[in-house]
Amino acid sequence: MFKGSADNKIEAAMSELVPEPRQKPAVPMKPVGINSNLLGYIGIDTIIEQMRKKTMKTGFDFNIMVVGQSGLGKSTLVNTLFKSQVSRKSSGWNREEKIPKTVEIKAIGHVIEEGGVKMKLTVIDTPGFGDQINNENCWEPIEKYINEQYEKFLKEEVNIARKKRIPDTRVHCCLYFISPTGHSLRPLDLEFMKHLSKVVNIIPVIAKADTMTLEEKTEFKQRVRKELEVNGIEFYPQKEFDEDLEDKTENDKIRQESMPFAVVGSDKEYQVNGKRILGRKTPWGVIEVENLNHCEFALLRDFVIRTHLQDLKEVTHNIHYETYRAKRLNDNGGLPPVTAETEENHESNL
């Protein structure tokens, strides 16, 4: 009895002196390289065709906002972008029509179909922006609207019985129209982009670029880029969101050369050298909207629709919306916002 007790004490003392050997950390297995020369056809590449067919059936949402003072051709440019009357009439204010005393938000929805693909397009206009004598904080209604769309999406997401496809009213792109002064950005331009670049993808455009000479246009573009850099304003595509070297190379060229796009919009057609083209007629000739020698509209169209449309949607969802969502949940103590449906479910459980 006593001997066993003594042995236990000796073992305890030995364990104190000799530390137990540390377990080696588990080393993850290296992925086994698979020979790319497959023995036969599997069909992995058909996923692209499957995705295409699904998109063609369901369609997709794209919501674009236009911001800028009256008379810069915002509605005309959007109509030109989508080659249809998708925005409100762009003839300016009628004499009978009063200029809004505050910034209004007007959203117009359309369904555009091309090549069997349906796009649910919503154009959000902001009449009254920058048209007052005192434009202090006139960006606030716009920021409020953008955040309201994030809130609407968040509430749909946290519902117990979620819709199979949540309606997406979030603003994917904001075209900000800069007046073609040829001098510098206005304080209002800087304040708006400084506040809104944190919540939405801003693409700055110089409106009515045909009012400037080529030299004036080049100098003004450089000046605008410099002012945005000095004021710490990041426009889309943001440097921090470049996914790889290919993206960075492509986007650097856009950021350093194309931005801000100097554009001319027109939804009127003219006959030039036997071809029907969109343009603006002047006493000295027709300004061709899609001619890169005349303006950069074609670059803007390709950028927004043909190369970056999906990325605009992804940055909106993965960056801007996620930032809003995280802040909203954090402010709510980690709990989802209360909706009418969650209140009903809670009451029924009680």
Side-chain angles (χ1 to χ4, degrees):
M1 175 178 176
F2 292 105
K3 186 179 178 183
S5 176
D7 288 345
N8 290 338
K9 286 181 181 180
I10 292 169
E11 286 179 7
M14 289 291 289
S15 63
E16 288 178 6
L17 294 172
V18 182
E20 291 183 7
R22 293 178 60 185
Q23 292 184 352
K24 292 182 179 180
V27 179
M29 290 180 64
K30 292 183 179 179
V32 179
I34 299 176
N35 189 351
S36 59
N37 298 321
L38 302 173
L39 298 177
Y41 179 68
I42 299 175
I44 299 170
D45 56 350
T46 61
I47 186 66
I48 305 299
E49 181 62 18
Q50 294 171 43
M51 292 166 68
R52 188 187 72 84
K53 283 182 178 178
K54 192 169 184 180
T55 302
M56 288 183 74
K57 283 182 182 178
T58 60
F60 65 96
D61 301 301
F62 186 61
N63 309 314
I64 185 169
M65 174 180 274
V66 289
V67 181
Q69 66 186 96
S70 300
L72 292 180
K74 301 185 296 294
S75 300
T76 303
L77 184 75
V78 174
N79 290 340
T80 314
L81 265 178
F82 298 101
K83 293 193 175 181
S84 55
Q85 297 294 321
V86 294
S87 187
R88 66 194 189 94
K89 197 173 180 180
S90 56
S91 58
W93 301 105
N94 298 325
R95 290 184 179 181
E96 297 80 15
E97 189 178 1
K98 293 182 180 178
I99 295 176
K101 291 183 179 179
T102 56
V103 178
E104 298 177 358
I105 308 291
K106 294 186 177 181
I108 303 172
H110 300 270
V111 176
I112 298 177
E113 186 171 348
E114 184 181 49
V117 179
K118 290 181 181 178
M119 177 171 71
K120 298 180 182 74
L121 173 70
T122 301
V123 178
I124 305 110
D125 201 354
T126 54
F129 177 85
D131 295 331
Q132 312 304 319
I133 295 173
N134 181 6
N135 290 303
E136 188 178 0
N137 299 335
C138 66
W139 60 82
E140 288 182 351
I142 298 171
E143 185 175 18
K144 181 172 179 281
Y145 175 86
I146 292 169
N147 285 329
E148 282 173 351
Q149 308 320 303
Y150 291 147
E151 182 70 16
K152 191 184 294 184
F153 196 89
L154 176 60
K155 285 182 176 178
E156 288 287 352
E157 269 196 333
V158 300
N159 279 337
I160 294 173
R162 291 199 300 185
K163 295 176 182 175
K164 186 177 179 182
R165 190 166 181 266
I166 299 174
D168 190 0
T169 60
R170 298 170 296 180
V171 181
H172 301 123
C173 171
C174 173
L175 295 181
Y176 186 76
F177 286 69
I178 299 167
S179 184
T181 60
H183 301 299
S184 60
L185 292 171
R186 300 175 302 162
L188 176 60
D189 299 328
L190 294 170
E191 285 298 318
F192 175 88
M193 287 189 273
K194 192 177 289 183
H195 283 84
L196 273 292
S197 62
K198 298 170 185 174
V199 296
V200 71
N201 296 317
I202 289 182
I203 299 176
V205 297
I206 299 171
K208 297 190 172 181
D210 54 322
T211 60
M212 297 184 289
T213 65
L214 293 175
E215 292 78 12
E216 287 172 341
K217 183 182 74 175
T218 302
E219 288 176 9
F220 189 43
K221 281 166 65 78
Q222 291 174 349
R223 195 173 296 121
V224 168
R225 284 197 294 266
K226 186 67 178 174
E227 286 188 71
L228 292 174
E229 184 184 349
V230 168
N231 286 275
I233 298 169
E234 283 212 358
F235 48 81
Y236 178 86
Q238 301 90 334
K239 292 178 184 177
E240 58 187 302
F241 305 148
D242 292 340
E243 292 186 357
D244 50 38
L245 186 59
E246 185 183 352
D247 273 0
K248 185 179 185 305
T249 304
E250 181 185 352
N251 290 337
D252 274 347
K253 188 175 180 182
I254 294 166
R255 287 186 285 257
Q256 295 165 12
E257 297 177 17
S258 301
M259 290 286 185
F261 296 98
V263 299
V264 175
S266 176
D267 44 16
K268 293 182 180 179
E269 285 190 339
Y270 295 95
Q271 192 89 10
V272 176
N273 298 326
K275 293 181 181 179
R276 300 291 295 177
I277 57 99
L278 289 171
R280 288 188 61 212
K281 195 170 185 179
T282 67
W284 52 88
V286 176
I287 298 164
E288 300 174 32
V289 168
E290 297 182 270
N291 187 335
L292 285 174
N293 293 320
H294 293 192
C295 77
E296 295 169 347
F297 168 80
L299 292 178
L300 173 65
R301 177 204 57 207
D302 291 354
F303 177 65
V304 172
I305 300 173
R306 301 183 183 181
T307 62
H308 284 69
L309 191 149
Q310 181 59 28
D311 190 64
L312 282 163
K313 289 168 63 68
E314 287 178 4
V315 171
T316 298
H317 181 76
N318 298 330
I319 307 298
H320 297 305
Y321 170 67
E322 279 301 314
T323 301
Y324 177 86
R325 178 179 169 277
K327 184 179 184 302
R328 187 77 171 81
L329 294 179
N330 187 55
D331 292 345
N332 208 30
L335 298 172
V338 177
T339 64
E341 185 177 338
T342 53
E343 281 183 344
E344 288 175 9
N345 290 327
H346 180 66
E347 288 173 3
S348 63
N349 289 335
L350 293 175

